[in-house]
């Protein structure tokens, strides 16, 4: 089960699988009991097992593999959360306003990154938000279908979408400079566009099969098979054109969201598989790689505190621009605080940055701690500041 390996204890694969599966069962109930985001507990559980506390090291490569698969499924789920129906209902003026909102956020993040002697990649990290936290918070507040709820949801969607593209092409530019390889992914995006058109036509001309893909009681699980095939196809194609696999996974989810606008049953099946097993593997693995000694110095703790203030500020200030759409001060501040919630994408961005040498391990661990803090603070402050509704929206 356990054997010594220098400064760490090595845990064999069978016991690791048993331990992590047990955690996957227990942590959801514990998160409800403590009223904390489950993802935060998964990270903290990984911290307990890993470099910071128990110093357990997992034998073999199955956990990193499952964590990588969970990472891809997380980004696929993020793509599925895009609401193209809501986007199509927005006026051109509203869409332009959302673009301006993102532009101001990125400009503030650039300024803050330069003040902290960091680069553009740090600004992109600070521009992220978390659709996975925004959506349930808006639902819980009962405003997700309201005008304000749709504005906040669209702002989070634009932030996630633009930031992921920005990170991908910034990495390409850092690796290859201003060369033809910057436009090498163009055929990939053309192929995705063609795929979108063909998929919409297929759904139009084959309504029975499309209905089967979305059915809750399909014994063959055609929709799940189709979704996983799409995920791995676009991940493979993104690798071929030297794009980040997470972008391929995200686009795969977005394609599914674009083709199937009413996909609740299919989304429930995929979420059960992804959030029930694979995605927790990613967050537990992130926690295990977190090294508290990297941020245990006064300088790093101060830096993390500054990053936390900046992360709140670059979202809170643009959030006040919602006043231009006629919302009250409390509503605008609450929206900014909710958009300041980060979790999956900011951790993903920090992991990508570490892989390519764009951030240090110490900075990456500061970002992980920042994600845990904002995922707790953002939704909590949103509930405190947001005016209560006397009647349903």
């Amino acid at each position: 089960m356990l054997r010594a390996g220098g400064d760490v204890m090595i845990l064999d694969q069978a016991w690791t699988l048993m331990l992590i599966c047990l955690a996957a069962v227990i942590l959801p109930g514990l998160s409800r009991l403590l009223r904390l985001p489950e993802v935060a507990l998964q990270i903290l559980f990984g911290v307990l097992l890993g470099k910071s506390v128990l110093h357990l090291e997992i034998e073999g490569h199955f956990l990193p593999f499952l964590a990588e698969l969970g990472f891809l499924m997380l980004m696929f789920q993020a793509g599925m959360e895009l609401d193209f129906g809501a986007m199509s209902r927005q006026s051109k003026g509203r869409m332009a306003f959302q673009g301006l909102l993102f532009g101001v956020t990125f400009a503030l993040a650039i300024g803050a990154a330069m003040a902290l002697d960091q680069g553009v990649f740090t600004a992109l990290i600070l521009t992220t938000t978390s659709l996975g936290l925004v959506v349930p918070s808006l639902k819980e507040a009962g405003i997700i279908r309201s005008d304000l709820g749709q504005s906040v949801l669209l702002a989070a969607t634009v932030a996630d979408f633009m930031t992921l593209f920005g990170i991908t092409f910034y990495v390409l530019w850092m690796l290859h400079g201003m060369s033809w390889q910057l436009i090498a992914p163009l055929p990939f995006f053309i192929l995705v566009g063609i795929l979108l058109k063909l998929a919409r036509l297929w759904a139009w001309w084959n309504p029975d099969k499309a209905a089967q893909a979305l059915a809750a009681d399909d014994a063959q699980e055609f929709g799940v098979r189709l979704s996983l095939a799409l995920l791995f196809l676009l991940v493979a194609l993104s690798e071929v054109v030297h794009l980040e696999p997470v972008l391929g996974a995200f686009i795969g989810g977005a394609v599914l969201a674009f083709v199937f606008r009413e996909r609740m049953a299919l989304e429930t099946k995929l979420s059960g598989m992804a959030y029930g097993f694979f995605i927790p593997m990613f967050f537990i693995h992130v926690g295990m790689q977190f090294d508290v000694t990297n941020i245990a110095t006064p300088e790093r703790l101060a830096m993390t505190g500054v990053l936390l203030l900046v992360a709140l500020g670059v979202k809170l200030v643009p959030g006040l621009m919602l006043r231009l759409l006629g919302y009250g001060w409390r509503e605008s501040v609450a929206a900014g605080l909710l958009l300041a919630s980060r979790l999956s994408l900011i951790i993903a961005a920090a992991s990508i940055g570490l892989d390519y040498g764009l951030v240090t391990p110490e900075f990456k661990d500061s970002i992980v701690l920042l994600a845990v803090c904002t995922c707790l603070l953002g939704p909590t402050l949103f509930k405190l500041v947001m005016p209560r509704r006397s009647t349903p929206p």
Side-chain angles (χ1 to χ4, degrees), residues 10 120 132 149 173 177 194 203 219 231 244 267 348 377:
I10 300 175
V120 175
W173 179 72
I194 294 172
L231 165 63
E244 278 299 311
E267 197 166 355
L377 284 173

Side-chain angles (χ1 to χ4, degrees), residues 35-224:
R35 296 186 178 181
L36 294 174
E38 184 184 344
V39 170
L41 289 183
Q42 290 165 0
I43 294 173
L44 292 174
F45 179 73
V47 171
L48 175 66
L49 294 181
K51 297 178 179 180
S52 298
V53 183
L54 296 179
H55 301 283
L56 293 180
E57 186 173 293
I58 307 305
E59 187 179 54
H61 301 287
F62 90 96
L63 182 59
F65 169 75
L66 291 176
E68 183 68 19
L69 182 56
F71 186 17
L72 294 175
M73 296 194 74
L74 176 67
M75 300 315 299
F76 186 78
Q77 290 283 324
M80 284 190 68
E81 287 177 354
L82 299 182
D83 191 343
F84 289 98
M87 291 184 195
S88 64
R89 292 190 294 270
Q90 296 289 329
S91 65
K92 291 182 179 179
R94 279 294 181 93
M95 291 301 295
F97 178 82
Q98 293 293 343
L100 176 63
L101 201 68
F102 177 79
V104 171
T105 303
F106 185 57
L108 290 171
I110 286 279
M114 292 177 64
L116 295 172
D117 199 25
Q118 299 290 326
V120 175
F121 192 82
T122 297
L124 288 166
I125 286 176
L126 292 171
T127 309
T128 58
T129 189
S130 176
L131 266 173
L133 291 173
V134 168
V135 171
S137 296
L138 292 174
K139 285 181 178 178
E140 185 179 348
I143 62 169
I144 194 166
R145 299 297 179 190
S146 69
D147 191 55
L148 174 63
Q150 288 297 300
S151 295
V152 174
L153 184 61
L154 190 56
T157 299
V158 171
D160 273 9
F161 195 76
M162 295 299 292
T163 302
L164 191 54
F165 269 84
I167 288 170
T168 300
F169 282 96
Y170 183 75
V171 168
L172 276 178
W173 179 72
M174 288 297 295
L175 290 176
H176 307 294
M178 294 299 294
S179 68
W180 66 270
Q181 286 174 300
L182 267 181
I183 61 171
L186 188 59
F188 172 76
F189 293 111
I190 292 174
L191 179 62
V192 169
I194 294 172
L195 183 63
L196 279 175
K197 285 288 186 182
L198 292 176
R200 288 289 283 177
L201 284 173
W202 174 84
W204 177 264
W205 288 107
N206 299 275
D208 293 338
K209 290 185 177 180
Q212 181 187 1
L214 299 175
D217 55 352
D218 177 21
Q220 296 181 331
E221 299 295 355
F222 175 70
V224 174

Side-chain angles (χ1 to χ4, degrees), residues 300-372:
R300 291 310 307 177
L301 287 174
M303 180 63 174
T304 304
V306 171
L307 283 173
L308 177 60
L309 292 175
V310 169
L312 292 172
V314 298
K315 294 292 185 178
L316 187 56
V317 173
L320 296 177
M321 292 171 60
L322 291 172
R323 289 278 296 151
L324 300 175
L325 298 181
Y327 301 115
W329 283 106
R330 288 184 64 185
E331 291 173 321
S332 301
V333 170
L337 290 169
L338 183 58
L339 290 171
S341 306
R342 277 98 164 171
L343 199 52
S344 54
L345 186 54
I346 194 171
I347 293 175
S351 299
I352 292 170
L354 184 63
D355 289 341
Y356 289 100
L358 299 173
V359 300
T360 63
E362 293 80 9
F363 189 83
K364 187 247 185 182
D365 285 341
S366 291
I367 292 298
V368 172
L369 182 59
L370 167 69
V372 173

